[in-house]
Amino acid sequence: LKGFLFVIFIVLTSAAILKLIDSRILPAADETVANYSAALINKKIDETAEDIMSEKNLKYTDFYTITQKDGEISAVEINSVLVNEICSETARKLSETLNNTEVRKIPLSLGIITGLGILSNCGPKINIRLMPVGTARADWETVLTDSGINRVNYKVYLNIKASVKIISPLSSRPLEMTRKYMLADITFTGKVPDTYLQTK
């Protein structure tokens, strides 16, 4: 009877511990891993784009040409060949970077099991090993906005999307990241008219 009661006690204790892990530790750890992963991937996106711009010695004026008529700007043309090249190289290099990123260790405090924010950083720490793998895609867009009387602002962006699978001992989940990287930001000013009339 004593042996049977001891087994029951062990089973119930184990079940309580597993429930605590499932209800407190796993969700908190999963959120920590996701937040850390998002910050890491955003950093890799910025580093990759900046490295490509630096390697090619590119300036924002390389991405567009201006046509003038009678001293006034009549057209702005995007250097689509260059921008498409940057998109392709960014996607390729970022995919390589994500799949070759070394395993990271994320420290997680055991105080998180209390569910109290004030104690979430207390107690001994356990390390969660994180390994991101995935692919990246990149395209571009232009944005034209009014910025005053006869002034327009013209922006050229890279839209970088990373589809990453976060593999850790606690879970394996997909993570979609989208990041805009500005290639050019220009404001064009035209001749100011003598009269300005705005109607609804």
Side-chain angles (χ1 to χ4, degrees):
L1 181 60
K2 288 182 179 180
F4 177 75
L5 292 176
F6 179 74
V7 170
I8 294 297
F9 173 76
I10 293 297
V11 170
L12 292 177
T13 302
S14 299
I17 293 174
L18 290 174
K19 184 170 180 59
L20 177 63
I21 292 174
D22 187 63
S23 63
R24 293 283 181 85
I25 297 180
L26 286 182
D30 193 50
E31 182 179 357
T32 300
V33 169
N35 291 338
Y36 183 92
S37 301
L40 174 64
I41 294 165
N42 275 328
K43 182 180 178 182
K44 294 296 182 184
I45 289 174
D46 286 342
E47 289 176 350
T48 301
E50 287 168 6
D51 286 347
I52 291 173
M53 295 286 287
S54 178
E55 288 172 5
K56 294 182 177 295
N57 195 27
L58 293 172
K59 305 180 294 296
Y60 73 92
T61 51
D62 295 324
F63 295 102
Y64 66 92
T65 55
I66 297 174
T67 302
Q68 293 188 337
K69 184 178 181 180
D70 299 328
E72 297 289 334
I73 296 174
S74 60
V76 179
E77 184 178 359
I78 293 298
N79 187 344
S80 58
V81 174
L82 177 60
V83 177
N84 284 325
E85 180 184 337
I86 296 299
C87 287
S88 177
E89 193 162 348
T90 300
R92 180 181 61 81
K93 285 195 171 185
L94 182 58
S95 295
E96 291 176 356
T97 299
L98 292 175
N99 287 288
N100 292 321
T101 299
E102 62 183 8
V103 176
R104 300 296 182 98
K105 292 183 179 179
I106 306 175
L108 184 68
S109 300
L110 287 179
I112 206 165
I113 66 174
T114 62
L116 301 175
I118 196 171
L119 299 177
S120 60
N121 290 320
C122 298
K125 296 184 181 296
I126 56 174
N127 286 323
I128 299 173
R129 295 169 65 85
L130 170 69
M131 182 176 68
V133 295
T135 58
R137 304 180 304 279
D139 57 16
W140 58 279
E141 70 170 317
T142 59
V143 178
L144 185 67
T145 55
D146 180 10
S147 61
I149 301 175
N150 271 17
R151 288 168 59 91
V152 293
N153 182 250
Y154 195 63
K155 292 184 175 70
V156 184
Y157 290 103
L158 279 186
N159 287 327
I160 305 170
K161 298 178 181 179
S163 301
V164 182
K165 189 173 185 181
I166 304 303
I167 300 175
S168 73
L170 298 176
S171 66
S172 177
R173 56 180 285 188
L175 184 65
E176 294 285 334
M177 296 291 300
T178 301
R179 180 86 164 177
K180 285 183 180 291
Y181 185 86
M182 188 179 294
L183 294 178
D185 183 5
I186 325 107
T187 298
F188 299 109
T189 304
K191 184 178 178 181
V192 178
D194 296 328
T195 304
Y196 176 69
L197 178 64
Q198 182 176 4
T199 59
K200 294 184 178 179

